[in-house]
């Protein structure tokens, strides 16, 4: 009884009005750091020529979970940082709690890496309780929003998305932040959000919206809540807030969700974004249409207007030049609009860039390559927006090139 009362009181205290405003957009030093590391050439000189430009928001710059390169993702603070760096569109990844409330979280089962749940009284709700590292066995846990109520969710403290696989205690498990990120902005607790609160916040910041309906970790229907109920509830929260459909780009990796919105909510469906994870199919290649589950023409015929593949699937190399992939060429030919993810998620590019740079790994040897990739995506592929973990990088480019 006392635990339930304490949770309810804490939740009430933790849900203030989230309206905010920003006085100005600021790039900070990072875009200039990246430009300094570029090889001399027309692109570098063009970007250098914009050093004195006025920073302003751009729809080309999309805050990926806010600005999680440095701030705990899906928090008020992370999204304020993204807006202050000029992200014209902000993202809330959406999942649901035990009592079917929509909240901002990258996955239904990521509470063990994005919050302090394993060190709280809610640890016993975890689907996989924390177990310490032992010999060659790594520390492990799995904690889901679907195992706790919204009131309980509000008591959690967000943190950088990380864990220490060598941890022998729950407290140590909360560590593990990558050395190119920081815990500096996690020392004082960040503010967790529901989806409805993210709408309130983003609207007050003058930003537009791109919520992603995350795949549930539980079987659906869940307590009578079907996948279509879930997809519809997402739309209904924008309607309740008076947000026009033209300001919302709904996203899902599940093509059936996108097709549901196209049919049931055509105004919202016109902007619905099919997130493409087809690279997980054995034998898939963005250069070989025979390996794709749907052609670009077939997607367009279904009513899909927007696709969002990861950056590496949209580009390839001709010699040392970054050029559009076959996927990018065929999407453009089919009349599909393209958004892509994610810039600033790879750490220092001198290490090779990893997953997001795999198709251009042979030329990825410096942080300066980041602007070469952004330029190829913008000018050659023709993407309409780029998700970024540090939106100032994309905002600077968009402002310099005159992109809205």
């Amino acid at each position: 009884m006392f635990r339930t009362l304490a949770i309810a009181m804490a939740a009430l205290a933790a849900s203030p009005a989230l309206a905010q405003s920003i006085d100005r957009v600021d790039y900070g030093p990072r875009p200039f750091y990246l430009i300094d590391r570029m090889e001399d050439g027309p692109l570098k000189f063009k970007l250098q020529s914009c050093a004195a430009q006025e920073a302003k928001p751009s729809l080309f710059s999309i805050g990926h979970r806010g600005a999680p390169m440095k701030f705990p993702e899906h928090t008020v603070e992370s999204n304020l940082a993204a807006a202050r760096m000029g992200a014209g569109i902000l993202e809330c990844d959406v999942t649901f709690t035990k009592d079917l409330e929509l909240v901002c979280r990258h996955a239904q089962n990521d509470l063990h890496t994005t919050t302090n749940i394993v060190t709280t009284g809610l640890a016993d709700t975890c689907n996989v309780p924390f177990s310490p590292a032992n010999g060659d066995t790594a520390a492990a846990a799995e904690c889901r929003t679907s195992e706790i109520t919204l009131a309980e969710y509000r008591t959690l403290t967000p943190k950088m998305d990380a864990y220490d696989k060598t941890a022998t205690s729950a407290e140590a498990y909360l560590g593990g932040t990558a050395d190119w990120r920081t815990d500096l902005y996690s020392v004082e607790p960040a503010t967790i959000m529901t989806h409805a609160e993210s709408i309130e916040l983003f609207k007050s910041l003058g930003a537009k919206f791109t919520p992603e309906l995350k795949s549930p970790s539980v079987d659906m229907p869940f307590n009578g809540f079907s996948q279509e109920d879930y997809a519809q509830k997402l739309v209904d929260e924008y309607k309740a807030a008076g947000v026009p459909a033209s300001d919302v780009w709904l996203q899902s990796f599940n093509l059936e969700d996108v097709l549901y919105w196209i049919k049931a909510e055509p105004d919202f469906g016109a902007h619905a974004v099919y997130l493409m994870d087809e690279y997980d199919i054995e034998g898939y290649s963005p250069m070989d249409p025979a390996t794709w589950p749907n052609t670009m023409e077939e997607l367009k015929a279904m009513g899909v207007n927007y696709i969002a593949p990861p950056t590496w699937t949209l580009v390839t190399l001709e010699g040392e030049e970054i050029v559009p992939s076959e996927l990018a060429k065929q999407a453009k030919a089919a009349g599909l609009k393209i958004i892509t993810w994610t810039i600033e998620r790879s750490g220092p590019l001198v290490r090779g860039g990893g997953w997001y740079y795999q198709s251009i790994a042979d030329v990825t040897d410096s942080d300066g390559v980041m602007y070469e990739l952004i330029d190829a995506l913008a000018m050659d592929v023709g993407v309409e927006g780029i998700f970024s973990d540090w939106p100032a990088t994309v905002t600077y480019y968009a402002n310099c090139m005159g992109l809205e």
Side-chain angles (χ1 to χ4, degrees):
M1 172 182 174
F2 292 110
R3 175 171 173 265
T4 302
L5 179 60
I7 288 172
M9 292 179 68
L12 183 63
S15 55
L18 295 181
Q20 300 278 349
S21 63
I22 53 173
D23 295 327
R24 65 187 180 93
V25 172
D26 194 325
Y27 301 126
R30 184 155 178 80
F32 307 100
Y33 165 87
L34 296 173
I35 295 166
D36 288 344
R37 277 148 184 80
M38 295 177 67
E39 293 185 2
D40 286 349
L43 178 60
K44 179 176 182 177
F45 301 148
K46 170 63 176 175
L47 292 173
Q48 286 177 326
S49 75
C50 296
Q53 70 185 351
E54 178 186 0
K56 58 185 180 181
S58 171
L59 297 181
F60 189 77
S61 179
I62 305 171
H64 181 239
R65 316 183 205 174
M69 184 177 176
K70 303 292 183 183
F71 290 82
E73 64 186 45
H74 291 311
T75 60
V76 172
E77 291 76 10
S78 186
N79 282 286
L80 277 172
R84 286 169 175 153
M85 287 186 272
I89 303 174
L90 297 173
E91 179 189 44
C92 168
D93 289 331
V94 177
T95 188
F96 55 85
T97 60
K98 185 177 182 178
D99 47 352
L100 307 181
E101 296 295 336
L102 302 186
V103 295
C104 297
R105 195 67 16 214
H106 179 62
Q108 191 168 64
N109 62 339
D110 75 358
L111 292 180
H112 51 291
T113 64
T114 62
T115 76
N116 66 336
I117 190 169
V118 298
T119 61
T120 73
L122 294 172
D124 58 2
T125 70
C126 292
N127 185 56
V128 177
F130 169 75
S131 59
N134 183 14
D136 293 334
T137 302
E142 183 187 324
C143 309
R144 300 175 176 176
T145 60
S146 52
E147 299 302 313
I148 59 175
T149 66
L150 176 58
E152 290 171 326
Y153 175 77
R154 288 193 186 281
T155 67
L156 299 176
T157 298
K159 69 177 191 71
M160 293 298 286
D161 184 10
Y163 72 98
D164 184 348
K165 64 181 181 181
T166 68
T168 56
S169 69
E171 289 75 15
Y173 185 77
L174 300 181
T177 300
D179 58 9
W180 49 274
R181 291 181 169 173
T182 182
D183 290 314
L184 180 63
Y185 303 111
S186 300
V187 176
E188 293 190 13
T191 311
I192 212 161
M193 292 190 297
T194 66
H195 175 242
E197 288 167 347
S198 79
I199 296 173
E200 177 187 351
L201 175 64
F202 299 172
K203 186 160 54 170
S204 71
L205 293 171
K208 298 186 187 297
F209 313 81
T210 186
E212 181 188 338
L213 196 74
K214 302 303 297 189
S215 298
S217 299
V218 295
D219 292 336
M220 300 292 277
F222 175 77
N223 293 343
F225 191 55
S226 70
Q227 186 69 24
E228 289 189 351
D229 293 335
Y230 181 29
Q232 186 62 49
K233 185 164 185 171
L234 179 65
V235 174
D236 289 345
E237 293 198 347
Y238 287 95
K239 289 182 172 181
V243 176
S246 58
D247 286 351
V248 183
W249 285 263
L250 306 173
Q251 308 173 71
S252 181
F253 281 104
N254 181 356
L255 181 57
E256 292 304 313
D257 291 336
V258 176
L259 298 180
Y260 171 81
W261 290 320
I262 290 169
K263 181 179 179 180
E265 294 286 352
D267 289 343
F268 285 88
H271 271 196
V273 181
Y274 174 39
L275 294 162
M276 299 176 70
D277 60 356
E278 299 169 353
Y279 49 80
D280 278 340
I281 298 172
E282 185 176 357
Y284 174 87
S285 169
M287 300 300 292
D288 183 1
T291 67
W292 308 345
N294 299 287
T295 67
M296 300 300 101
E297 292 82 0
E298 287 169 343
L299 289 174
K300 184 66 176 176
M302 294 176 195
V304 175
N305 291 322
Y306 285 85
I307 60 170
T311 52
W312 69 269
T313 66
L314 293 171
V315 292
T316 189
L317 292 175
E318 287 185 358
E320 295 189 350
E321 183 181 1
I322 303 172
V323 298
S325 68
E326 187 64 22
L327 176 68
K329 293 176 184 176
Q330 295 208 14
K332 185 175 182 180
L336 290 168
K337 299 177 180 181
I338 307 172
I339 297 169
T340 191
W341 45 278
T342 305
I343 294 295
E344 298 282 22
R345 199 160 181 84
S346 303
L349 298 187
V350 70
R351 301 175 185 173
W355 192 82
Y356 285 99
Y357 287 79
Q358 60 186 283
S359 62
I360 59 169
D362 288 348
V363 299
T364 303
D365 56 5
S366 162
D367 283 345
V369 174
M370 192 173 301
Y371 272 128
E372 294 179 26
L373 174 59
I374 291 171
D375 188 62
L377 290 166
M379 298 302 169
D380 300 325
V381 175
V383 303
E384 297 203 352
I386 298 179
F387 283 88
S388 177
D389 281 20
W390 200 245
T393 298
V394 177
T395 304
Y396 184 95
Y397 176 89
N399 289 172
C400 187
M401 299 300 179
L403 302 177
E404 293 296 327

